[in-house]
Amino acid sequence: MARALKLTENGRLTSTPNPSVGCVIVKRGRIIGEGWHEKAGQPHAEVNALARCSEDPAGATVYVTLEPCAHHGRTPPCAEALVRAKVSRVVAAIEDPNPQVAGKGLVRLREANIRSEVGLMAAEARRAHRGFLSRMAHGRPWVTLKVGASLDGGTALRNGASRWITSAAARKDVHALRARACGVLTGIGSVHADDPALTVRDVPCTRQPLKIVVDSRLEVADSARVLEGGNALIVTASGDGTRIEALRQRGTVVERVAAEPLRGKVDLAAMMQTLGRLGLNEVMVEAGTRLNGSLVQAGVVDEVVAYLAPSLLGDEALGMFALGELTGLDQRIALTLSEVRRIGPDLRISATVGAL
């Protein structure tokens, strides 16, 4: 199963909106076949592993990171392929929460007298498939919010200067995070201030993530770098049909979502539901302090990855999250640390939102 989980990395950048499942087939204590889901619309991991078997898989044990599907989608059901192959046992790390599957694959295998088990290395599989699981369970992608700051939490000087607080090594690591994501999201304030490209540049990447801008009033300039080369999505609350059509004519996708009742800003929870419907499994946020705070308060952030540089910017610097004044410690946002490590001279701290 550990090997199957490792194989999920091979399809992570290309399988979306499907999960990047890995599969290993073992017979008489030897791996005879392995595969992963390479691209949506193409054969799933189990079918690829069967096709690559070095000998007849009859009587073999199949280790797969997600329950085999049992429905006809763009490809035939994997459970039926395993039945035809006459394997004797299937071990799935977790059940598939997709309503079209949801235990039906395991049932079909058991009907064919194939021993079927679930739960081996489940925690690791949930992390590997976190984006797909989030979209199935909550209707929205898994959201990772990245922030770079000084050791005292400053992300920019009061005058807006912020390049570069963290090191080149940290920035390269950020590009690896971008490469994993289906989309990279920022706000119109960051577009005006920094004119980011939001592309993956410093690490190998087989597909660029979707560039997403939260722009409630459609203030993005035609010259903004984020619009270059297409592959951009503007999420807005504006009903300016002329501006929307002009953006679409130049290849930019525009999605209008509900506005917050009082401020007229994009409803961030509704926006994430829209991104889920578009098939995005994982979204990375690279935004300013105000949007960071608003996303956390909207309850749509799953993970924070903070890069802390060994420097101090002082109490006049801008912070990581604009959360407003808290009047009691019970109002604080609880986090659970998942990883702390050095990246060059900086610290990278990963934490999921919520207490243990």
Side-chain angles (χ1 to χ4, degrees):
M1 187 64 78
R3 174 61 182 165
L5 286 163
K6 182 66 176 176
L7 291 173
T8 66
E9 295 294 331
N10 294 339
R12 189 168 309 285
L13 305 185
T14 54
S15 64
T16 186
N18 293 345
S20 56
V21 176
C23 178
V24 170
I25 301 176
V26 176
K27 190 171 183 179
R28 291 188 291 273
R30 295 181 298 106
I31 292 177
I32 64 168
E34 59 183 34
W36 60 91
H37 184 36
E38 297 173 7
K39 190 173 183 180
Q42 294 184 6
H44 290 184
E46 299 93 323
V47 173
N48 284 331
L50 288 169
R52 294 167 183 159
C53 278
S54 58
E55 60 182 271
D56 187 352
T61 296
V62 177
Y63 295 88
V64 63
T65 60
L66 190 68
E67 174 190 2
C69 63
H71 67 289
H72 285 268
R74 284 187 281 185
T75 59
C78 294
E80 295 297 339
L82 294 172
V83 170
R84 289 194 301 271
K86 298 180 181 179
V87 302
S88 65
R89 179 175 173 231
V90 173
V91 182
I94 53 176
E95 287 191 10
D96 189 338
N98 185 338
Q100 293 179 298
V101 185
K104 298 182 182 71
L106 296 172
V107 169
R108 176 66 188 100
L109 294 171
R110 288 165 185 157
E111 288 175 346
N113 295 317
I114 296 173
R115 288 175 55 202
S116 301
E117 305 163 32
V118 65
L120 180 63
M121 300 187 73
E124 293 85 346
R126 282 192 289 270
R127 179 160 183 81
H129 299 310
R130 63 189 187 180
F132 176 75
L133 297 177
S134 176
R135 192 162 60 83
M136 289 296 105
H138 308 298
R140 65 167 179 83
W142 175 276
V143 177
T144 296
L145 192 154
K146 164 263 168 183
V147 62
S150 61
L151 196 58
D152 57 345
T155 58
L157 300 181
R158 183 63 61 183
N159 63 14
S162 62
R163 294 187 178 182
W164 297 101
I165 294 173
T166 55
S167 66
R171 295 195 295 275
K172 183 175 181 179
D173 195 67
V174 169
H175 280 263
L177 280 181
R178 285 185 185 178
R180 172 180 174 131
C182 303
V184 180
L185 182 147
T186 195
I188 188 61
S190 294
V191 171
H192 288 330
D194 301 326
D195 195 21
L198 298 187
T199 54
V200 178
R201 299 182 296 279
D202 292 345
V203 298
C205 183
T206 54
R207 67 96 176 90
Q208 288 288 337
L210 182 67
K211 300 170 290 185
I212 308 166
V213 179
V214 185
D215 184 5
S216 297
R217 296 192 272 286
L218 290 178
E219 298 171 321
V220 64
D222 288 337
S223 60
R225 288 205 299 162
V226 73
L227 301 183
E228 293 177 0
N231 194 36
L233 167 65
I234 306 296
V235 182
T236 187
S238 171
D240 185 342
T242 300
R243 181 60 179 148
I244 290 173
E245 183 58 27
L247 287 165
R248 287 174 174 165
Q249 285 295 322
R250 59 172 297 171
T252 300
V253 177
V254 181
E255 289 285 341
R256 186 182 178 193
V257 301
E260 294 177 347
L262 298 178
R263 299 190 301 161
K265 299 276 190 178
V266 164
D267 183 309
L268 298 176
M271 174 188 71
M272 290 300 178
Q273 292 292 313
T274 295
L275 297 182
R277 287 194 295 273
L278 291 175
L280 276 69
N281 286 334
E282 296 195 32
V283 167
M284 177 182 171
V285 176
E286 295 190 61
T289 179
R290 286 184 296 177
L291 182 54
N292 286 349
S294 295
L295 288 164
V296 169
Q297 289 175 323
V300 295
V301 174
D302 300 291
E303 179 183 41
V304 175
V305 177
Y307 296 84
L308 298 184
S311 61
L312 304 174
L313 296 185
D315 59 4
E316 292 298 315
L318 300 179
M320 301 185 201
F321 303 92
L323 295 173
E325 182 182 1
L326 305 184
T327 57
L329 289 177
D330 59 334
Q331 298 172 321
R332 60 188 167 180
I333 307 297
L335 304 174
T336 299
L337 289 177
S338 54
E339 183 184 49
V340 179
R341 60 186 171 97
R342 285 278 296 271
I343 300 288
D346 304 322
L347 275 182
R348 172 179 150 153
I349 301 176
S350 301
T352 52
V353 178
L356 280 173

